[in-house]
């Protein structure tokens, strides 16, 4: 593991700050969904469907919204400045999943509450998806590898550790792939899926490169990073 205790301190502090906001995202989106349903706002409010169909459609749509927010975080410079703190970690383990700049979490909060209103999402589906995303973030960032059969079988539906590890590669072509957090379907649909072999993963460098790696384990530098080019 590169970075030692300093790295763990940075991840713990950023994770502690962001955890409360992470919990607010599905709850706030669910609350705005309730308001949207009451006023019959949003796409799904205009459809005459059963509750089960509405729930399923909402789950799929919040997954799509998550995919686009993550992809935008790599494409739009101002969002990337926030998101790159997550990618600047020089090693990969469960603590990486909680390493996010606080301002990124607030940007996500605004995105998902807007999506909840515009799409008329089912509140229960929003909460379930948020819970699954937080739960899956642990094995996705863990320093582990599933058996090849399990990896290949699960990644048809879910984002596995193998799929997400390549997303943390220092190679930009690999970093700009595998944007899903729960479902892998959108990476397949939009041709952003990469499926590395176990051997490729073992030789993969984690981080963003020398200039970022030098300050990856400095808390102050990470908090100020969005304000620097």
């Amino acid at each position: 593991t590169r970075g030692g205790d300093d790295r763990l301190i940075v991840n713990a502090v950023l994770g502690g700050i962001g955890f409360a906001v992470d919990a607010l995202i599905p709850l706030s989106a669910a609350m705005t969904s309730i308001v949207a349903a009451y006023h019959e706002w949003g796409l799904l409010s205009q459809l005459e469907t059963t509750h089960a169909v509405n729930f399923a459609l909402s789950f799929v749509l919040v997954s799509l919204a998550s995919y686009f927010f993550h992809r935008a975080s790599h494409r739009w410079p101002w969002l990337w400045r926030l998101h790159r703190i997550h990618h600047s970690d020089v090693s990969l383990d469960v603590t990486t999943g909680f390493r996010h700049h606080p301002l990124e979490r607030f940007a996500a909060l605004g995105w998902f509450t807007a999506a909840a209103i515009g799409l008329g999402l089912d509140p229960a589906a929003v909460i379930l998806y948020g819970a699954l995303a937080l739960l899956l973030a642990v094995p996705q960032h863990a320093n582990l590898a599933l058996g090849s059969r399990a990896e290949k079988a699960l990644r048809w539906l879910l984002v596995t550790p193998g799929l997400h590890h390549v997303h943390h590669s220092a190679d930009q072509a690999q970093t700009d792939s595998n944007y899903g957090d729960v479902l892998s379907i959108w990476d397949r649909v939009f041709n952003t899926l990469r499926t590395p072999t176990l051997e490729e993963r073992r030789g993969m460098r984690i981080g963003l490169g020398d200039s970022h790696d030098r300050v990856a384990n400095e808390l102050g530098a990470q908090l100020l990073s969005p304000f620097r080019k």
Side-chain angles (χ1 to χ4, degrees):
T1 299
R2 300 159 63 200
D5 293 342
D6 289 343
R7 170 184 168 272
L8 294 178
I9 290 171
V10 171
N11 289 2
V13 173
L14 291 177
I17 295 173
F19 188 77
V21 185
D22 280 338
L24 281 176
I25 292 174
L27 293 177
S28 297
M31 291 300 295
T32 52
S33 295
I34 293 172
V35 174
Y38 178 79
H39 293 284
E40 296 185 345
W41 295 335
L43 175 65
L44 297 183
S45 296
Q46 309 308 311
L47 303 178
E48 294 183 3
T49 61
T50 65
H51 178 72
V53 171
N54 187 277
F55 179 91
L57 289 174
S58 294
F59 190 89
V60 170
L61 287 173
V62 74
S63 173
L64 181 61
S66 180
Y67 171 88
F68 277 126
F69 180 78
H70 194 178
R71 189 166 181 176
S73 295
H74 283 248
R75 297 298 181 89
W76 297 354
W78 64 278
L79 273 178
W80 172 245
R81 289 191 182 192
L82 299 174
H83 185 58
R84 69 186 178 192
I85 284 77
H86 181 63
H87 282 271
S88 67
D89 201 351
V90 293
S91 292
L92 198 61
D93 61 28
V94 292
T95 67
T96 308
F98 304 103
R99 177 189 174 115
H100 293 277
H101 196 281
L103 292 178
E104 182 188 11
R105 310 321 296 152
F106 282 104
L109 180 62
W111 172 260
F112 284 104
T113 52
I117 294 175
L119 297 173
L121 300 175
D122 183 282
V126 172
I127 292 176
L128 176 61
Y129 192 89
L132 286 174
L134 285 173
L135 182 64
L136 288 175
V138 174
Q140 286 168 354
H141 293 92
N143 186 17
L144 58 81
L146 299 177
S148 59
R149 289 185 179 180
E151 174 75 29
K152 289 179 181 179
L154 289 173
R155 72 188 181 199
W156 280 102
L157 177 64
L158 301 174
V159 177
T160 60
L163 290 181
H164 196 69
H165 282 195
V166 71
H167 183 70
H168 280 269
S169 168
D171 181 344
Q172 185 177 350
Q174 294 178 323
T175 307
D176 293 339
S177 68
N178 297 359
Y179 297 108
D181 54 0
V182 174
L183 303 177
S184 62
I185 181 175
W186 304 118
D187 283 299
R188 296 182 187 280
V189 170
F190 296 107
N191 199 31
T192 54
L193 186 74
R194 293 180 69 99
T195 55
T197 64
L198 182 57
E199 289 71 24
E200 289 173 328
R201 285 174 54 196
R202 285 173 175 166
M204 197 175 288
R205 178 177 178 177
I206 302 299
L208 291 176
D210 291 336
S211 62
H212 289 280
D213 290 356
R214 284 194 293 269
V215 295
N217 303 314
E218 298 177 12
L219 180 61
Q222 293 305 299
L223 287 171
L224 292 174
S225 178
F227 308 103
R228 297 170 177 165
K229 290 186 179 179

